[in-house]
Amino acid sequence: MIERVGISTLKLKMSIGSGALALSQLVGTPLHAEEASALAPEVVVSSSRVRSENPSATRLGADDLTSPPLVTRDTARLLQDIPGVSLSGAGGISSLPVMQGLADDRNRISIDGMDLISSCGNHMNPPLSYLDPDSVDSIEAYTGAIPVSVGGDSIGGSLVVRSAPPRFADSAEKPLVTGELGTFYRSNGNARGVSASATLASRRVSLGYRGSASESDNYEAGSDFKPDALAQWTVGDDHTIEGDEVGSSSYRLHSHALGIAVRGQGRLLSLDAAVQKVSDQGFPSQHMDMMDNESRRFNAAYSQEFGWGTVDGRVYHEATDHEMDFGEDKLYWYGMAHNVAGMPMFTRGRTFGAALDARIGLNPRDTLRAGTEYQRYRLDDYWPAVANSMMMSPNTFRNIDDGQRDRIDVYAEWEAQWRPAWASVAGVRSSTVRMDAGEVQGYNANPMMYGNDAAAFNAADRDVTDHNIDLSFIARFTPGPRHAFEAGYARKTRSPSLYERYTWSTDGMAMTMNNWLNDGNGYVGDISLNPEVAHTFSVAADLHDAERKAWQFKAMAYYTRVNDYIDARCLNVCLPSQFNYLKLVNTDARLYGIDLSGFAPLGRIQGIGAFTGRAVVSYVDGEDTDSGDGLYNIMPLNARLIVEHRLAAWTSSAELVLVRAKKDGSNVRNEIETGGYGLLHLRTRYTVKHLRIDLGIDNVFDKFYAHPLGGAYIGQGATMSLNGAGAPYGIAVPGMGRSMYVALTLGF
């Protein structure tokens, strides 16, 4: 049983963003005073530690997040405190989590119970980009061999992210009126934003609103990183991209969420609605930029407590309308269009999901968890004809037409407490995934460009059904209050995405528009791809003091063998030192690694305060065992070392980030090598009553570096050229230089 650690109470009771306020229990039954606290308890975090009931799971509370949520608009960056989790660079609010070497669609990400899907050939709108970071109340991360109840349609880890729960009045006579206002500014990129939230509640009903708006200009690296031809790049008439400026890294967005909560005896009912609009977001590692992205989602949940256990049900709907094109940094060269026409690309994604889960206490020893899930996803990806272009006219290019992906899962999981020190979890999940797509067409019927590929695709049988089975067995040994050990095996399965199966054109221009890997290459899919099947073995240990407050040390070692891993091979001929055209293929792969984390007191000085040391260290190795090539986007050995200081209302920290050089990457992708580096971040927070002030300096010494998973820099110029005529091949996207920030939060 997983105990959730809340964040909301450490955020001055309310936070902002597009997270949803859950509704709480059905009206119709009298609510008694003693039931009010039992039905919707307010969870208080009593320490700043990562807490877990089993060694393979990590749960974060508010004080565990070293990056202030109000300043960090990229929600995925809140995951950096989780051992084994890294981030693959994308846009300013759209990083992709990498868990123990497996990224993006290979991990399951649940947001308030919703499994959302990225509706973009470049994955510019991943699930976490729809949730504002200051909306996050709790994060649960599962790595290694994970239970089937939190898995499904994934071969990596699982992230369970929840928004703040609703709040209710303590008294029938006095309603609860509370809220929060916030603002922030970051010097690098001139980033700024505002936020607001409010709650009006009685003892039975709670109404809430959250909203935010933020934007940033291009950020600057620690030093110049471009050749002379790109060092003074004029955009239009009023802006020049200097040598240290990272082109196509700006963003602008706003979001709103409404929620209503109703509660009664043993019942929880929730309904929330959220909208988000990203008016533009640059992508320095993509050939295209996001010109517009509108998302609308609705989420309804119901929970019922019985004497024998609990039942939870949920239905949700998410609609995304997405547009890509060349942003101004990619369109203009020295003040004029550089032989590049606009190329609008539209994506329409619709997701409907439902889930029903039950937890049944069979007897004092045995607990059964069972459930079913349904997800219906529809996708249209089309590119209108471009006026005055012989290559991109006269037809609308149908990249994916009427894409369909329907998934039905059922699972059962048995947890047994055999002895006070021994427990086991065993489960099985059956997943049926049916996929199909309509007929396609190119910009024209020229057989040398689009005609032959389209004809072959349309003649193929595109209706594919996968029957997948997941298994897990985990044994836990807890000899005392200070030790916990775990060993497990999991068989995890993932069917290909619509883009992996149904992107069809081998024309170079079209292929470069399908790249969810940020490596600059072009890709074509394959209808006949098999599902990936991963066999993961892991062992973990969790050593801590009896109350889990003074110190903790966690370690996990894992080995994963993947059959039918979806990798890439050269479509025709691949050349070094350039971007190439690649096709997706099934192969075999293996990954292994170790993750370490912990904290311990360093001492207390009278009148000066208490000091605590924290550390997260991760290492992973990945290889395509058929070709001997390295897997793409494998994070090298890295560590985060933090010294934290607390004195009265002040909490401060000094953080050192150490990353080893990346030398062994994916040769077929010409993955760019990156050097090792070390960064120093300084942060402090002052909290008094309803006011919180955050101050900090990231990258104190203005160190120039390139993140190993940041991708290839194609943020400016004629990005469609394979040899990088605009932004030469071989430049990795640099990280942000020195940046100072301030954030103010006022609660009422």
Side-chain angles (χ1 to χ4, degrees):
M1 181 67 179
I2 296 173
E3 174 187 356
R4 192 174 94 191
V5 178
I7 291 180
S8 58
T9 57
L10 290 179
K11 288 182 166 181
L12 302 179
K13 310 302 183 186
M14 287 298 298
S15 57
I16 62 169
S18 58
L21 292 174
L23 293 177
S24 284
Q25 297 164 317
L26 189 63
V27 177
T29 316
L31 181 68
H32 303 292
E34 62 272 17
E35 296 165 343
S37 60
L39 294 176
E42 183 174 331
V43 182
V44 179
V45 180
S46 58
S47 73
S48 62
R49 312 303 167 220
V50 176
R51 302 183 60 185
S52 66
E53 292 181 348
N54 60 73
S56 64
T58 300
R59 297 160 188 82
L60 297 181
D63 280 2
D64 300 314
L65 305 175
T66 56
S67 293
L70 190 62
V71 178
T72 305
R73 306 319 298 163
D74 186 356
T75 302
R77 297 196 177 277
L78 300 181
L79 308 174
Q80 63 185 353
D81 296 290
I82 300 174
V85 177
S86 302
L87 300 179
S88 176
I93 60 171
S94 301
S95 295
L96 303 171
V98 182
M99 304 183 71
Q100 294 181 332
L102 298 170
D104 202 8
D105 287 339
R106 293 189 169 106
N107 302 310
R108 182 175 186 180
I109 301 176
S110 172
I111 299 175
D112 291 328
M114 299 178 289
D115 289 328
L116 305 180
I117 298 175
S118 180
S119 297
C120 172
N122 296 307
H123 284 199
M124 293 181 174
N125 44 25
L128 287 176
S129 68
Y130 292 123
L131 182 66
D132 277 357
D134 34 350
S135 300
V136 176
D137 179 70
S138 65
I139 300 173
E140 298 165 0
Y142 298 82
T143 53
I146 66 175
V148 297
S149 57
V150 295
D153 202 28
S154 62
I155 62 171
S158 290
L159 290 170
V160 179
V161 184
R162 295 187 178 94
S163 302
R167 300 183 62 202
F168 294 89
D170 296 327
S171 169
E173 291 75 27
K174 184 178 180 181
L176 173 68
V177 180
T178 185
E180 186 177 271
L181 299 173
T183 185
F184 77 92
Y185 176 78
R186 188 190 72 212
S187 62
N188 198 326
N190 191 31
R192 58 275 186 198
V194 295
S195 61
S197 64
T199 294
L200 173 63
S202 66
R203 294 177 65 194
R204 186 188 299 273
V205 180
S206 178
L207 300 175
Y209 164 79
R210 302 166 186 259
S212 70
S214 59
E215 60 182 57
S216 175
D217 301 331
N218 290 341
Y219 71 83
E220 297 173 350
S223 63
D224 292 351
F225 64 95
K226 309 167 190 174
D228 292 341
L230 297 179
Q232 293 287 328
W233 193 281
T234 301
V235 177
D237 299 323
D238 57 358
H239 177 63
T240 298
I241 302 179
E242 302 291 344
D244 62 349
E245 183 175 336
V246 178
S248 300
S249 61
S250 62
Y251 63 83
R252 287 160 184 82
L253 79 152
H254 60 81
S255 58
H256 306 274
L258 290 171
I260 181 171
V262 185
R263 66 178 183 177
Q265 279 186 339
R267 299 169 185 169
L268 294 162
L269 176 65
S270 68
L271 175 63
D272 48 51
V275 296
Q276 183 197 70
K277 181 176 177 61
V278 182
S279 54
D280 67 82
Q281 182 181 188
F283 282 75
S285 57
Q286 291 287 358
H287 297 279
M288 308 293 284
D289 296 311
M290 178 190 290
M291 308 308 293
D292 186 69
N293 194 90
E294 296 185 10
S295 170
R296 303 167 299 281
R297 65 182 185 275
F298 303 90
N299 189 11
Y302 178 77
S303 178
Q304 174 75 61
E305 294 181 0
F306 299 94
W308 47 263
T310 61
V311 174
D312 296 282
R314 182 181 305 276
V315 294
Y316 62 90
H317 174 72
E318 190 260 350
T320 295
D321 293 297
H322 173 70
E323 179 184 353
M324 291 189 298
D325 207 330
F326 301 112
E328 62 177 10
D329 292 358
K330 296 184 171 101
L331 265 181
Y332 291 93
W333 187 10
Y334 295 109
M336 60 183 295
H338 182 60
N339 298 324
V340 181
M343 184 180 172
M345 303 168 62
F346 296 94
T347 306
R348 183 180 184 272
R350 299 293 185 266
T351 304
F352 172 81
L356 182 66
D357 302 276
R359 183 180 184 274
I360 305 169
L362 301 175
N363 53 55
R365 187 194 72 180
D366 302 312
T367 300
L368 175 65
R369 283 183 287 270
T372 182
E373 300 171 3
Y374 171 70
Q375 184 184 65
R376 180 184 188 272
Y377 179 60
R378 296 294 181 265
L379 176 73
D380 287 299
D381 191 321
Y382 58 98
W383 314 341
V386 177
N388 302 318
S389 171
M390 295 181 61
M391 293 179 58
M392 296 180 286
S393 64
N395 302 325
T396 293
F397 188 102
R398 301 288 178 181
N399 193 37
I400 294 180
D401 188 68
D402 191 26
Q404 304 174 29
R405 194 179 195 274
D406 297 330
R407 178 170 62 89
I408 300 177
D409 287 20
V410 292
Y411 74 88
E413 190 170 84
W414 169 43
E415 181 174 355
Q417 190 72 44
W418 300 99
R419 296 286 187 272
W422 285 97
S424 65
V425 179
V428 59
R429 174 185 285 262
S430 172
S431 178
T432 300
V433 182
R434 180 186 177 275
M435 300 172 63
D436 201 355
E439 294 189 353
V440 298
Q441 66 179 21
Y443 283 117
N444 52 64
N446 186 336
M448 300 298 294
M449 297 179 64
Y450 313 108
N452 289 342
D453 289 341
F457 182 88
N458 293 337
D461 182 4
R462 301 180 297 278
D463 190 343
V464 182
T465 300
D466 300 325
H467 300 284
N468 303 328
I469 297 293
D470 287 4
L471 303 169
S472 67
F473 179 80
I474 301 169
R476 296 182 182 135
F477 176 55
T478 310
R482 294 178 175 83
H483 306 85
F485 303 92
E486 180 180 289
Y489 161 77
R491 181 188 196 270
K492 297 176 282 188
T493 313
R494 180 188 78 96
S495 287
S497 69
L498 289 176
Y499 284 103
E500 287 170 325
R501 269 204 167 130
Y502 295 125
T503 48
W504 55 273
S505 178
T506 59
D507 175 74
M509 182 276 298
M511 292 179 69
T512 55
M513 298 297 98
N514 291 293
N515 182 326
W516 47 93
L517 299 164
N518 300 303
D519 63 1
N521 298 293
Y523 288 86
V524 62
D526 189 343
I527 298 173
S528 63
L529 286 175
N530 294 322
E532 298 177 322
V533 180
H535 302 271
T536 297
F537 301 86
S538 64
V539 293
D542 185 350
L543 312 179
H544 48 264
D545 67 291
E547 296 184 354
R548 300 177 184 265
K549 293 182 179 180
W551 64 274
Q552 183 181 44
F553 173 75
K554 294 182 64 176
M556 171 181 283
Y558 58 91
Y559 176 87
T560 297
R561 182 83 181 188
V562 186
N563 297 327
D564 289 320
Y565 182 88
I566 298 176
D567 207 341
R569 296 288 185 267
C570 293
L571 179 63
N572 294 307
V573 178
C574 288
L575 299 176
S577 301
Q578 71 169 43
F579 303 130
N580 286 296
Y581 300 131
L582 308 175
K583 62 179 179 180
L584 299 180
V585 298
N586 284 121
T587 182
D588 291 332
R590 64 108 185 103
L591 303 99
Y592 64 82
I594 186 169
D595 300 320
L596 308 172
S597 64
F599 65 88
L602 301 179
R604 178 186 295 271
I605 302 176
Q606 185 66 30
I608 296 180
F611 295 86
T612 302
R614 302 172 59 192
V616 178
V617 181
S618 296
Y619 171 78
V620 61
D621 184 276
E623 181 182 276
D624 181 328
T625 55
D626 284 353
S627 66
D629 195 7
L631 298 184
Y632 180 68
N633 252 2
I634 297 296
M635 186 70 180
L637 177 66
N638 63 95
R640 299 177 64 246
L641 309 175
I642 301 171
V643 175
E644 183 182 84
H645 169 254
R646 290 177 178 266
L647 176 63
W650 290 93
T651 301
S652 305
S653 66
E655 175 183 334
L656 182 63
V657 177
L658 301 173
V659 178
R660 191 176 183 179
K662 184 179 181 67
K663 300 298 182 182
D664 299 321
S666 172
N667 292 325
V668 70
R669 293 178 171 86
N670 288 335
E671 187 173 2
I672 300 172
E673 296 182 356
T674 57
Y677 59 87
L679 306 175
L680 177 64
H681 309 313
L682 299 177
R683 302 185 176 101
T684 188
R685 171 179 293 179
Y686 177 75
T687 305
V688 55
K689 293 185 178 180
H690 300 300
L691 175 66
R692 186 180 72 219
I693 303 174
D694 287 285
L695 299 168
I697 305 176
D698 289 336
N699 194 357
V700 173
F701 298 110
D702 205 20
K703 173 76 173 180
F704 176 81
Y705 70 100
H707 193 280
L709 310 187
Y713 181 67
I714 42 179
Q716 61 187 93
T719 67
M720 295 300 296
S721 175
L722 280 182
N723 61 9
Y729 169 85
I731 303 176
V733 175
M736 188 177 293
R738 183 188 297 115
S739 181
M740 294 174 282
Y741 67 80
V742 58
L744 302 176
T745 309
L746 178 65
F748 59 88

